[in-house]
Amino acid sequence: VIVLMPAANAQGYYYERREEQVGSEYFDPNRDFPYDNSKGHCMNTLTARSILHVLKNHVFILGVTFHGGTHCIAYEWGSNNHVKNRKGEECPDDRSMIDLGKLMQTEAVQVDFHKTKKYEVGNMTDFVYSVEGVLEFWAYAA
């Protein structure tokens, strides 16, 4: 079974902003998950609760998320509690993540102004930055 959730942050897409308004407050759905989240802000957004509902009702062996901005194939870890010397630690499935990322790399290319290049493969900390409360780390570790 393939489960697709296009535009999980529908409110953000509609209003062209990253944050989701909940009452008079704004929350970043990308930081609204209960993994390594020191702020205690979890599942405030409709986005996070919708993803939680999907994860509770299906057993996943693989998950892929697409984000605007960074163009890479990245995997766990990228949370603050898995950083040593400013580099991401290996996740328990590191070898499999690398192999799967490289397989995906052979099938996907970036096309930008008539240039074609491969997506880079690596962990989230090394490609983006370490961060707390992220879906991918919570879904992988929970």
Side-chain angles (χ1 to χ4, degrees), residues 25-75:
E25 294 184 80
Y26 289 85
F27 295 93
D28 182 349
N30 290 327
R31 308 289 181 266
D32 198 26
F33 295 90
Y35 185 80
D36 189 37
N37 195 335
S38 64
K39 296 175 189 153
H41 294 277
C42 303
M43 302 295 168
N44 291 297
T45 61
L46 180 59
T47 300
R49 291 191 313 273
S50 297
I51 292 169
L52 173 64
H53 178 78
V54 170
L55 290 175
K56 279 184 164 183
N57 288 288
H58 300 279
V59 176
F60 289 90
I61 57 169
L62 177 67
V64 177
T65 60
F66 295 95
H67 294 268
T70 304
H71 298 268
C72 61
I73 299 170
Y75 53 85

Side-chain angles (χ1 to χ4, degrees), residues 39-126:
K39 296 175 189 153
H41 294 277
C42 303
M43 302 295 168
N44 291 297
T45 61
L46 180 59
T47 300
R49 291 191 313 273
S50 297
I51 292 169
L52 173 64
H53 178 78
V54 170
L55 290 175
K56 279 184 164 183
N57 288 288
H58 300 279
V59 176
F60 289 90
I61 57 169
L62 177 67
V64 177
T65 60
F66 295 95
H67 294 268
T70 304
H71 298 268
C72 61
I73 299 170
Y75 53 85
E76 289 71 29
W77 292 110
S79 52
N80 296 323
N81 62 336
H82 287 286
V83 176
K84 284 190 180 172
N85 300 320
R86 295 186 174 173
K87 299 293 273 176
E89 290 181 329
E90 289 184 359
C91 70
D93 299 306
D94 200 66
R95 184 72 253 160
S96 296
M97 298 282 195
I98 292 168
D99 291 345
L100 182 58
K102 288 183 177 182
L103 178 64
M104 292 170 69
Q105 183 186 50
T106 64
E107 300 298 323
V109 294
Q110 299 179 61
V111 179
D112 185 24
F113 299 107
H114 306 291
K115 294 182 214 171
T116 302
K117 62 181 181 176
K118 291 184 176 186
Y119 287 94
E120 293 185 66
V121 177
N123 72 51
M124 292 288 288
T125 300
D126 298 347

